[in-house]
Amino acid sequence: MFLLLLNSSSNLKTIVESLTSKLNSKEALSLKKKRHLISLADYSGEEIDFVVSVAQIFKELSKQRALPIDLLKGKHVALAFFENSTRTKTSFDIAATNLGAHVVDLNISTSSTAKGESLGDTASTLDAMGTNAIIQRHSQSGSLAGLNDYVSNSLSLINAGEGKETHPTQALLDYFTMLEYVDSIKGKKITIFGDTKYSRVARSNVRLLSKMGADIHIASPENLLARDLESLGVKTHLDLNQSLEDCDFIMALRMQFERQEKDLSIDRQEYISRYQLTHEHLKKAKRGVKLLHPGPVNRDLEITSELMDDLSYSVIKEQVSNGIFVRMAVLAILLNDQER
Ligand code: CP
């Protein structure tokens, strides 16, 4: 299927065989039929676990220093980031490169979208050039799904973060990271706190974690509380300490100033005194609790710098590196053997 095995160890051969078998499995074929990753609402719990299992193989290949591979040789992957990004954009780029694909960065400020070309026409243009995937970040929820009417059946649409609703690969990499500490997330208490109202990370995580049977709590000031998540069984809190009692994982969120309503006034000092996570708060949580944050972090606002850098709790850097393997898994499953 792909070139790797010359002089490789038997351990490496086993890993590659496992990858080959996964990519030819009925689970992979079922995901490939979906063609896109627009929202995790479209993926079952089993399909999510399958993606994670493929990501685990890529992490193992990385440990064996066996990357890059040529699985997606000849494929073209376009990055269309209409909002700023460091982690997601770079890790999709590295993920595609690790799989042997050619990456096209559609630099938005110099692209024809800046001359008024519509998103649909841009997608149709990339499709006509034989692009295999468009990986898009955009401020408007639903914009990626709308591109489906403009592209052929040979192009996959992959969501790299959209509005305040969806960021599926972030939730996948968060789940992947948690599974490095527990065998299953079922029944585990996960507290997501901070600006939940404007957070696509919170919504995508809730969508994923509720499928996996987690006990999900969110804590925010009233004007930043995602009340819409209560209908998904999420327990809401205004008191951060109360939300943290006996929790297994804490997920801090970035304050999303760019998406907040203009008239929303937040007193920074009051926010810090009530919602900034410190080492002291962790006494409420379970021993061994792990702290996640999708990044970028506003240092000393959402969490103290000391806690962010305390590797006995913080797995933020692991989240970043795991993002590469999860995104490799998504690309490999959706684009491998794509007819184009
Ligand atoms: N977590 C996340 O989406 O980070 P970037 O904005 O840097 O991609």
Side-chain angles (χ1 to χ4, degrees):
M1 180 202 279
F2 50 92
L3 295 174
L4 174 71
L5 296 175
L6 289 179
N7 301 321
S8 58
S9 68
S10 62
N11 184 24
L12 192 50
K13 277 184 186 151
T14 309
I15 301 168
V16 172
E17 278 162 16
S18 163
L19 176 61
T20 307
S21 148
K22 288 254 176 208
L23 294 178
N24 288 320
S25 65
K26 64 177 185 345
E27 290 87 353
L29 290 177
S30 143
L31 282 171
K32 206 189 293 287
K33 267 196 199 137
K34 293 183 196 270
R35 222 174 86 225
H36 307 309
L37 174 52
I38 293 174
S39 165
L40 290 176
D42 306 327
Y43 281 35
S44 69
E46 291 74 25
E47 287 168 333
I48 288 166
D49 275 328
F50 177 76
V51 174
V52 166
S53 73
V54 175
Q56 283 161 342
I57 296 179
F58 284 127
K59 184 160 186 172
E60 205 46 52
L61 280 177
S62 172
K63 281 186 193 157
Q64 302 277 336
R65 301 192 179 281
L67 300 176
I69 54 176
D70 63 357
L71 186 72
L72 298 185
K73 193 173 174 197
K75 308 277 185 209
H76 305 284
V77 168
L79 302 176
F81 278 65
F82 292 85
E83 280 188 341
N84 295 350
S85 168
T86 296
R87 278 145 281 270
T88 314
K89 185 175 177 183
T90 311
S91 62
F92 263 119
D93 191 335
I94 294 173
T97 305
N98 277 346
L99 295 169
H102 168 233
V103 180
V104 181
D105 180 0
L106 191 73
N107 189 329
I108 298 304
S109 62
T110 58
S111 75
S112 289
T113 56
K115 294 190 279 190
E117 186 168 53
S118 71
L119 287 184
D121 286 340
T122 300
S124 164
T125 302
L126 291 169
D127 188 34
M129 291 182 205
T131 305
N132 297 87
I134 297 176
I135 300 168
Q136 180 175 280
R137 169 167 291 194
H138 204 280
S139 59
Q140 197 158 350
S141 294
S143 59
L144 187 65
L147 301 186
N148 199 23
D149 295 338
Y150 293 84
V151 298
S152 69
N153 290 340
S154 305
L155 188 145
S156 292
L157 298 169
I158 298 174
N159 185 346
E162 198 173 72
K164 63 180 175 67
E165 296 298 333
T166 50
H167 195 349
T169 57
Q170 179 68 45
L172 284 167
L173 76 88
D174 293 339
Y175 178 52
F176 179 105
T177 304
M178 288 187 236
L179 288 181
E180 297 197 309
Y181 295 94
V182 291
D183 290 336
S184 162
I185 220 72
K186 192 166 191 271
K188 294 287 183 288
K189 178 171 175 181
I190 299 161
T191 297
I192 306 174
F193 79 94
D195 177 3
T196 55
K197 183 173 177 177
Y198 295 94
S199 175
R200 55 193 175 210
V201 175
R203 288 188 178 78
S204 273
N205 263 289
V206 166
R207 231 166 262 133
L208 185 157
L209 296 170
S210 57
K211 283 182 207 271
M212 301 304 174
D215 176 22
I216 313 168
H217 294 244
I218 62 172
S220 311
E222 185 65 53
N223 57 356
L224 292 177
L225 188 63
R227 289 272 178 210
D228 56 303
L229 294 178
E230 287 173 340
S231 64
L232 296 175
V234 171
K235 288 142 197 137
T236 53
H237 304 261
L238 298 176
D239 181 343
L240 179 60
N241 268 309
Q242 187 192 56
S243 75
L244 297 174
E245 273 170 25
D246 290 326
C247 75
D248 297 276
F249 294 97
I250 305 172
M251 188 179 295
L253 297 174
R254 182 174 67 83
M255 188 67 83
Q256 288 127 134
F257 294 111
E258 76 281 13
R259 281 200 284 282
Q260 291 170 357
E261 287 150 27
K262 294 278 179 289
D263 57 357
L264 182 74
S265 65
I266 293 161
D267 183 297
R268 188 182 167 98
Q269 279 319 314
E270 192 195 336
Y271 184 85
I272 287 173
S273 72
R274 290 181 59 202
Y275 292 98
Q276 182 193 66
L277 193 75
T278 66
H279 276 91
E280 187 60 26
H281 286 109
L282 301 188
K283 293 178 184 161
K284 293 267 171 200
K286 279 211 184 109
R287 183 190 282 268
V289 66
K290 295 296 171 198
L291 168 65
L292 297 94
H293 190 305
V297 178
N298 291 303
R299 273 187 182 265
D300 292 313
L301 177 58
E302 295 117 17
I303 47 182
T304 59
S305 265
E306 292 81 6
L307 184 52
M308 176 180 170
D309 296 331
D310 183 346
L311 299 184
S312 53
Y313 297 105
S314 172
V315 295
I316 297 171
K317 285 194 179 157
E318 290 164 48
Q319 288 173 270
V320 171
S321 45
N322 289 337
I324 292 176
F325 308 118
V326 161
R327 289 170 178 130
M328 285 178 76
V330 169
L331 293 173
I333 293 166
L334 296 182
L335 305 192
N336 165 48
D337 289 339
Q338 198 186 49
E339 283 172 22
R340 165 156 255 175

